[in-house]
Amino acid sequence: MMLVLLLPQLPEDILLLLFSYSDTQALGRLSQVCKKFHSLISRDTLWRRIAKVSLNTGITRLGRDTFPQIALKERVKFSQNWKRGRCHQEILLRWKYNLLPWLQLDDQWLYLSQAADIRAYPLRQNGVSFQRRPTSVYTGHQDDVCRFVVSESHIISGGGDGKIIVCNTCNSFYAAYSAHDQEVNCIDSRGHVIVSGSRDKTARIWSLCSNQLGECLHTIRTDDRVWSVAINPTLSSVMTGTACCGHASPLRIWDLQRRSVMEWEEPHDSALYCLQSDGNFMIASGSSRYGVVRLWDKRQTKSLQVFFLSSPSSSPVYCLRFTTSHLYTALAHALCMLDFTISHPQYGK
């Protein structure tokens, strides 16, 4: 009993060392002992070790912190909610007609594809609402835009015409080239690399360098239609989601030698329309199975969680994007959000 009473009187550096051996449950309980403990346990240094092995905390495999403005203690709490499926669901927007929407969001702009065009809407200062009239329209495809990605100063799109179009948002630079024999279903870009996927059962890696633009570096034969692709932040691997029509697993990771190094089975044999990774252990996928989003942990062979999105009518999940605390999904007729910031007594107040 005397030791417990004297513990708060120890120097801060000693207490931090002792607390560093605690798990999340112990830290949550210790934070409720006294104001001094609560203040110490709120420091990021105590939670970094736990955050590195948790899902979607914003700490990448290389150790980069993508959400430094949010305390790590809070992000570990959110991570536990992701893992256990604890969230609040809300429909943010509805529209009258069914669409095949694709969206991208950054600090200043909301980009939305409509038919053969990509329209840029400025976000207002609150970072939530946006102007209803687009200030820029990017076009060039002879068919609908299937997917696009905003990468630094470029908008890179794939269309039903089999082409990839690269537009520079800072100047009038524009380039288009034939990429696949059939429509380009999906596209991603990081650094100086573009990856595209198509109904022609291939994923292709392209150079984004100005002197090699339009040059195919590698072709990955997936033996199935490719509906979604994602590039590892380290540029060391490519992830593909396929139509689940053949015998191959629909969710696979490929190294740069075009070898499948990891794969997962989709429980309901559904085409995977969209993917996103947290840059570490977590993958989120949206499928043609109506309103279903799955979470995957790369350290496990089966899906971690499944979310059924409520909506006015059935729709595939065409696009998803997530932060450390929220998941946004675009359906045929609505934009939905899952909020993982709900509190849990384990972490204290």
Side-chain angles (χ1 to χ4, degrees), residues 56 60-62 64 66-67 104 148-156 166 187-196 204-209 217 229-239 256 275-280 282-283 298 321-322:
N56 195 29
T60 68
R61 186 170 297 179
L62 297 178
R64 185 171 67 91
T66 56
F67 298 101
Q104 294 285 350
F148 70 93
V149 63
V150 180
S151 177
E152 296 180 351
S153 59
H154 294 93
I155 295 179
I156 305 164
V166 180
I187 201 158
D188 194 16
S189 178
R190 285 183 183 271
H192 296 291
V193 173
I194 301 171
V195 174
S196 62
R204 292 179 177 172
I205 303 174
W206 309 84
S207 173
L208 188 54
C209 298
L217 304 178
V229 292
I231 304 175
N232 185 289
T234 64
L235 304 181
S236 60
S237 60
V238 174
M239 184 165 51
L256 294 185
L275 298 168
Q276 186 181 350
S277 170
D278 68 345
N280 199 3
M282 193 181 84
I283 302 169
K298 295 178 184 178
R321 290 289 179 266
F322 62 78

Side-chain angles (χ1 to χ4, degrees), residues 10 60 75 104 177 189 191 240 298 333 345:
L10 292 175
T60 68
R75 286 184 268 165
Q104 294 285 350
Y177 53 91
S189 178
T240 60
K298 295 178 184 178
H333 39 261

Side-chain angles (χ1 to χ4, degrees), residues 212-346:
Q212 292 181 294
L213 191 61
E215 179 179 336
C216 182
L217 304 178
H218 301 288
T219 297
I220 300 172
R221 304 197 178 279
T222 61
D223 299 321
D224 203 354
R225 292 172 298 190
V226 184
W227 285 106
S228 50
V229 292
I231 304 175
N232 185 289
T234 64
L235 304 181
S236 60
S237 60
V238 174
M239 184 165 51
T240 60
T242 55
C244 209
C245 293
H247 298 293
S249 299
L251 185 58
R252 286 181 282 177
I253 294 178
W254 310 77
D255 62 18
L256 294 185
Q257 283 71 46
R258 290 160 283 174
R259 297 174 300 188
S260 175
V261 294
M262 297 181 72
E263 57 185 47
W264 295 269
E265 294 291 340
E266 213 292 327
H268 294 101
D269 293 337
S270 302
L272 298 182
Y273 280 171
C274 49
L275 298 168
Q276 186 181 350
S277 170
D278 68 345
N280 199 3
F281 298 117
M282 193 181 84
I283 302 169
S285 65
S287 72
S288 61
R289 188 174 177 85
Y290 294 139
V292 171
V293 171
R294 292 189 188 277
L295 298 187
W296 310 79
D297 187 333
K298 295 178 184 178
R299 297 163 294 187
Q300 301 180 18
T301 57
K302 295 182 179 180
S303 64
L304 184 66
Q305 286 292 339
V306 58
F307 301 96
F308 298 91
L309 304 179
S310 59
S311 57
S313 60
S314 297
S315 167
V317 178
Y318 290 114
C319 182
L320 60 79
R321 290 289 179 266
F322 62 78
T323 65
T324 189
S325 56
H326 293 80
L327 172 71
Y328 301 89
T329 60
L331 308 179
H333 39 261
L335 179 67
C336 299
M337 179 188 72
L338 299 182
D339 181 353
F340 292 86
T341 63
I342 59 176
S343 60
H344 192 269
Q346 171 179 321

